[in-house]
Amino acid sequence: ANAGVTCRISVRTKDVASILKKVVHKGYADPWEQVTDKIGARIVVHRPSDVDLICAAIAADDRIAVLRVEDKRGHEPGQFDYSGVHVQTRIDALSGASAEVEVQARTGPQDFWSDVSHTLLYKPIVEAPPPVRHAVVRLLALVELMDEEVERVVTQVEQRPEYAARRLHRLAENLFLRFVAADHDEDLSISLLEALIPTIPADDMPGYGARLDEFVSSRADALAAMYADYGPSSDAAGETAYMMFSQPEALVFFERLAATPNATVASWQPLIPDLMLRTLVTLSGEDVHVP
């Protein structure tokens, strides 16, 4: 969330039987240290550039020790191969034990190819003949093309002026997830953010993400308490007055309310019930009059 990445995460622990087989097969003298994939995490992202953001987020987290990084994306000309990034880390468990965790970061197409190739080439029932192995490797060309096209198309779409509300939604969602882990109504978010955008000067839009982040960070304790009391996991979650605390755009509303109160109130007044609007303004702590 802090890295601004939408992803799918899966985690598995290697079962005891698999560890024992590996120890016997490899002849390990120190199995606990030498079996480095006892715990594995896979992070699947939408775009190739997100892989770098994930790796940077892991490296920046002081709870995780990065032991080594295996970046499989640099291939020789004419060579096709798997292009994910594997980050070998060490974490301290709640029990006090320390264990290595292999974290794989890759795109959706890379993940699909990896699953197929693992079945056909890595652990097949019978060894695949050369034409089949060649066909599986040839699919990597399509994987690379799809990843490149996704990156190009998404970048172009995000730069269009009419995409401003969705860019703002992504910023707000990333900050929202710092406080709560919950789904929200994205269509409602977009409509309410479209109403707020005119309150942001055009010259401020390119750097608005940093401004919003600074605002939220400066009030993190107060916001955390607010979401604990009124957010989607609170006892008040089902009450109409607090519904907006289940929506990430409330954070943008609070920032705009501090910067330009009257225009901000006017932007949402026709769109949400008066009770919800007054509740947001009251809990924001700003001295703002709601007509």
Side-chain angles (χ1 to χ4, degrees):
N2 291 344
V5 178
T6 301
C7 59
R8 184 175 74 252
I9 300 173
S10 58
V11 180
R12 68 105 182 101
T13 53
K14 204 174 189 70
D15 63 76
V16 175
S18 296
I19 292 179
L20 290 174
K21 289 174 186 176
K22 190 167 188 176
V23 169
V24 172
H25 178 65
K26 299 285 188 180
Y28 288 150
D30 186 359
W32 181 256
E33 289 299 325
Q34 289 176 279
V35 178
T36 59
D37 63 344
K38 295 181 290 295
I39 306 170
R42 181 180 299 175
I43 305 175
V44 181
V45 298
H46 292 161
R47 6 182 348 185
S49 58
D50 286 343
V51 172
D52 291 315
L53 295 177
I54 287 289
C55 293
I58 292 171
D61 194 319
D62 57 12
R63 298 167 298 179
I64 304 171
V66 176
L67 304 178
R68 57 188 176 278
V69 177
E70 188 179 0
D71 191 335
K72 300 173 180 287
R73 293 175 295 182
H75 304 311
E76 295 295 326
Q79 177 188 3
F80 290 106
D81 206 344
Y82 167 72
S83 296
V85 177
H86 293 184
V87 184
Q88 198 69 25
T89 69
R90 183 178 292 279
I91 62 168
D92 294 325
L94 295 176
S95 64
S98 177
E100 285 194 33
V101 180
E102 182 183 88
V103 182
Q104 300 177 355
R106 56 204 194 196
T107 65
Q110 289 168 358
D111 187 55
F112 174 76
W113 181 89
S114 179
D115 284 345
V116 171
S117 65
H118 192 270
T119 302
L120 293 176
L121 302 183
Y122 183 58
K123 289 187 177 179
I125 297 174
V126 295
E127 185 176 357
V132 172
R133 296 200 299 272
H134 174 73
V136 173
V137 174
R138 188 177 59 183
L139 287 172
L140 282 165
L142 298 179
V143 169
E144 286 190 12
L145 286 172
M146 185 169 182
D147 277 342
E148 287 180 4
E149 282 301 287
V150 167
E151 188 73 45
R152 184 183 66 82
V153 170
V154 171
T155 299
Q156 286 186 350
V157 169
E158 287 183 344
Q159 290 173 347
R160 296 182 64 84
E162 58 268 31
Y163 198 81
R166 295 202 173 271
R167 284 197 301 272
L168 193 52
H169 171 258
R170 188 174 184 181
L171 294 171
E173 183 182 40
N174 295 337
L175 295 170
F176 175 71
L177 290 172
R178 293 184 186 178
F179 302 105
V180 292
D183 293 329
H184 62 278
D185 188 325
E186 186 172 334
D187 291 336
L188 176 61
S189 293
I190 298 302
S191 356
L192 292 177
L193 288 171
E194 284 175 344
L196 280 175
I197 284 175
T199 71
I200 305 173
D203 292 344
D204 291 349
M205 279 301 290
Y208 184 73
R211 176 173 180 164
L212 182 62
D213 189 295
E214 182 180 359
F215 174 85
V216 170
S217 298
S218 68
R219 306 190 182 196
D221 292 342
L223 287 168
M226 204 180 298
Y227 279 104
D229 291 338
Y230 309 112
S233 300
S234 70
D235 294 337
E239 299 182 29
T240 302
Y242 307 113
M243 193 194 81
M244 289 309 301
F245 285 95
S246 296
Q247 293 289 121
E249 60 272 19
L251 292 171
V252 182
F253 179 86
F254 288 143
E255 188 281 326
R256 291 287 79 210
L257 195 67
T260 174
N262 294 331
T264 300
V265 168
S267 70
W268 274 14
Q269 204 151 30
L271 302 176
I272 66 173
D274 189 60
L275 174 62
M276 288 162 51
L277 183 63
R278 290 182 183 277
T279 300
L280 282 174
V281 172
T282 300
L283 291 175
S284 73
E286 305 290 343
D287 184 16
V288 179
H289 172 66
V290 180

